[in-house]
Amino acid sequence: MFMTGKDNEMAAQQEGVHDKQQKQLLRKENEEKRQQQTMEDEYEPSSSSTKKRTNKTEIGCHTALFTKHVTSALDRNQTSDREALRLMIPIAAALGHDPSSLTVSRSTIQRARKKARTVGTGGKHPKAFSLCCGPSKSPNIPIFKRFKEVWERIKLDNFSKLELTSSTDDFRENTVSFLTNFVDLKSQVRDDYEELIELTMIILGDPPKTIHWRAPGPVHHARWMAKLIYAIKIYLFRHQKEIFSLTAKEESQLKRFVQFGALLYTKSWIQAPCAAEAPGGDLLLWKNLQQYQSIDHDISIAAQKILQNHMWYLSDETVSLALFSDEVSPIEKQKIITGFGIEPSERHVRGDPSLLQIEDVSLGHFSTRRSQNLLTKLQIGHSFLVLPPEQWNDNTDYQKGKQRINDLRVVNDTAERGVKLFEDYNRLLTKNEKEKQFILQVVEANRKVIPAQTTKKSVICAVSV
């Protein structure tokens, strides 16, 4: 069949339209590739003048786009560097930046996030376990995992206590006495607390009449108590070498950690949830750590540095909790009352570490006029303050106040929340263990600043700080 001239003309037009569409499609694909390449690669200007301008843009990009709130939000929302790149380019364009002049790539985003994580979390002092046994390169501590696998074969009646020197006698006697009295007074103790108490008494050579052996459970970096429980169990059964063998180095490291934990840590940990004992307990721990320097200098110094950053209950706003303690002497309580007349200085929510350097420091040194506000906030009557501390227990206001203080929770004893956080972010943004710890801290800080259920106004207020 032959085509007419009109048919030929129509066919040519259709072919032209088709070619035009193909060219447009090809042009669009090339444009998309070019934009993708621009996002993937850093922009490298040729002329010196352009280079100078680009450096300014780079600085502006990092300061304007990669703030601590932006990088922490990327971590919190589990956004990879590649996904962040696809987000930041259009956001920068919407903010008036020329995307082609921005030095934004996966590498620059990764560096900005790493820097923000490190700066945001601050330099953490080495903790006792890492100091004794070295940092772990995985969530599952190898020696604990090995021990858990052979637990069923362990002979539970064949254990050996910790061998201590005479320099630790005072620590040992105080700890055993405290734990014995604590168990006698507390009819109900949570399982993991009970296990830590029993294991500490066993390792210190004063085991309870009945021992409740529990199979090793999960362990995580956030649960310091779990580490100590594992370490004590391993050290108790260290002589069963046919079942679980330790190297000389491992045994030495565990002994160092277990000794510190059993002599100092267990008592402080068990006592921590008691609101009235928190200020006195923290101050006593500080003094004990100073004495412990003669036994293990490095652990003592590391622990002191950490405690200096967590003096929540040695601030002038919370030290009044000690007024309701049965362990604080009447003389010490009177010193706190005397401090109510001292004009407060700059507010230190976490306490003023410089006060710890006072020779023979006492709870009274932390008290100021601001300390009395705690009683007002908790609606505790002040009538007992005019009486000698020895007579306070007969005062109605004091009795009601003591009950109210005993009902307070002064620690967030929910390690499961930290475990859940780790499960959510483990192996997600990085496989580097150190970087992973930074991410967890950044995400937690971001959650505190910007809650999950929030409004535009609250977010603006949060990021404006």
Side-chain angles (χ1 to χ4, degrees):
M1 180 181 293
F2 294 97
M3 300 177 65
T4 64
K6 189 174 182 179
D7 291 335
N8 289 333
E9 184 178 351
M10 291 178 62
Q13 288 178 352
Q14 291 177 355
E15 185 176 354
V17 171
H18 178 72
D19 290 342
K20 186 176 181 179
Q21 291 176 343
Q22 289 292 328
K23 289 179 180 179
Q24 289 177 345
L25 182 61
L26 182 61
R27 191 181 300 113
K28 184 177 180 181
E29 290 178 352
N30 290 335
E31 180 66 19
E32 289 178 350
K33 289 181 179 179
R34 188 187 68 79
Q35 290 180 354
Q36 180 66 22
Q37 186 66 30
T38 301
M39 289 190 292
E40 292 288 345
D41 300 328
E42 292 189 10
Y43 177 71
E44 297 181 359
S46 55
S47 66
S48 59
S49 60
T50 307
K51 186 174 183 179
K52 186 180 294 185
R53 175 174 55 81
T54 304
N55 286 338
K56 291 181 179 179
T57 306
E58 179 181 3
I59 296 173
C61 170
H62 285 157
T63 56
L65 297 181
F66 295 109
T67 66
K68 65 177 182 179
H69 296 296
V70 171
T71 54
S72 63
L74 293 175
D75 285 343
R76 178 178 178 179
N77 289 284
Q78 307 176 13
T79 307
S80 68
D81 295 330
R82 185 182 296 276
E83 292 170 338
L85 179 65
R86 290 197 291 266
L87 287 171
M88 299 304 284
I89 290 295
I91 290 175
L95 293 174
H97 294 279
D98 179 6
S100 63
S101 66
L102 295 177
T103 55
V104 181
S105 68
R106 288 178 59 195
S107 299
T108 56
I109 292 176
Q110 185 182 57
R111 287 195 295 269
R113 294 173 77 171
K114 282 186 176 182
K115 181 179 179 181
R117 291 165 188 164
T118 306
V119 173
T121 55
K124 295 294 182 182
H125 297 292
K127 295 185 179 180
F129 183 81
S130 298
L131 193 62
C132 295
C133 304
S136 173
K137 297 182 180 179
S138 67
N140 295 316
I141 299 174
I143 191 172
F144 293 170
K145 185 178 180 181
R146 283 165 41 207
F147 183 73
K148 185 177 182 179
E149 292 172 351
V150 301
W151 171 255
E152 293 183 356
R153 296 163 51 198
I154 293 292
K155 301 173 184 177
L156 300 179
D157 58 347
N158 182 17
F159 55 84
S160 303
K161 68 176 184 178
L162 184 66
E163 297 175 0
L164 299 170
T165 62
S166 58
S167 61
T168 64
D169 286 348
D170 289 341
F171 288 115
R172 179 192 173 280
E173 291 175 7
N174 290 335
T175 299
V176 171
S177 175
F178 170 80
L179 295 180
T180 302
N181 293 334
F182 185 87
V183 172
D184 291 341
L185 294 174
K186 301 286 185 179
S187 58
Q188 291 183 342
V189 183
R190 208 180 72 183
D191 288 347
D192 48 357
Y193 278 74
E194 181 182 43
E195 183 177 19
L196 180 60
I197 291 172
E198 289 186 359
L199 290 174
T200 300
M201 296 180 71
I202 295 170
I203 201 72
L204 293 180
D206 194 0
K209 295 180 180 179
T210 303
I211 301 176
H212 305 87
W213 294 109
R214 295 177 177 84
V219 64
H220 182 263
H221 293 296
R223 301 201 64 192
W224 209 88
M225 181 167 62
K227 287 188 177 72
L228 183 55
I229 289 176
Y230 255 98
I232 292 178
K233 285 180 180 177
I234 294 174
Y235 199 75
L236 280 171
F237 301 110
R238 63 190 181 279
H239 292 149
Q240 298 186 33
K241 298 185 182 299
E242 70 282 1
I243 299 175
F244 186 79
S245 180
L246 292 170
T247 65
K249 181 180 179 180
E250 288 175 333
E251 185 171 334
S252 176
Q253 290 174 333
L254 283 174
K255 179 181 180 180
R256 188 184 181 195
F257 175 62
V258 168
Q259 177 175 277
F260 169 76
L263 294 177
L264 290 182
Y265 175 79
T266 297
K267 178 182 177 181
S268 297
W269 181 264
I270 299 300
Q271 198 176 32
C274 305
E277 310 302 337
D282 284 356
L283 184 58
L284 179 60
L285 177 59
W286 171 262
K287 293 180 177 181
N288 286 339
L289 286 172
Q290 289 185 311
Q291 295 179 18
Y292 200 74
Q293 280 186 233
S294 61
I295 300 172
D296 193 322
H297 179 272
D298 291 343
I299 286 184
S300 172
I301 295 299
Q304 286 180 54
K305 289 179 178 179
I306 294 174
L307 184 58
Q308 285 178 330
N309 294 327
H310 296 84
M311 296 169 53
W312 301 99
Y313 302 104
L314 285 176
S315 72
D316 59 355
E317 296 179 79
T318 55
V319 71
S320 297
L321 291 169
L323 295 175
F324 302 91
S325 167
D326 293 329
E327 301 295 327
V328 176
S329 68
I331 295 177
E332 193 83 348
K333 291 179 180 179
Q334 189 59 55
K335 290 180 180 179
I336 296 175
I337 300 300
T338 303
F340 285 177
I342 299 176
E343 191 66 28
S345 58
E346 181 183 355
R347 184 170 181 256
H348 296 275
V349 178
R350 295 191 180 187
D352 185 358
S354 65
L355 296 176
L356 292 173
Q357 308 307 322
I358 298 176
E359 186 177 357
D360 196 23
V361 61
S362 67
L363 292 175
H365 288 107
F366 300 90
S367 178
T368 68
R369 185 174 299 171
R370 193 184 286 134
S371 305
Q372 197 168 351
N373 294 341
L374 179 70
L375 304 180
T376 303
K377 291 178 180 178
L378 294 178
Q379 299 180 346
I380 298 174
H382 296 190
S383 62
F384 67 92
L385 296 178
V386 299
L387 301 173
E390 292 85 353
Q391 300 178 16
W392 285 357
N393 284 324
D394 298 326
N395 182 274
T396 303
D397 283 340
Y398 184 78
Q399 292 173 356
K400 292 180 179 179
K402 191 171 186 178
Q403 182 60 49
R404 187 159 295 174
I405 295 297
N406 288 337
D407 292 337
L408 290 178
R409 292 189 62 187
V410 297
V411 293
N412 181 17
D413 190 22
T414 52
E416 292 77 13
R417 186 170 184 268
V419 174
K420 180 62 168 61
L421 174 66
F422 188 83
E423 290 174 349
D424 288 343
Y425 290 88
N426 186 27
R427 302 179 182 277
L428 185 63
L429 299 176
T430 179
K431 293 183 179 179
N432 182 279
E433 182 64 22
K434 183 177 180 180
E435 196 70 21
K436 191 181 299 180
Q437 299 301 321
F438 284 148
I439 290 176
L440 296 179
Q441 296 171 43
V442 167
V443 171
E444 183 63 20
N446 184 268
R447 284 180 172 179
K448 292 179 180 179
V449 175
I450 306 176
Q453 296 181 352
T454 187
T455 62
K456 177 182 177 181
K457 182 178 179 180
S458 62
V459 173
I460 293 175
C461 293
V463 299
S464 299
V465 177

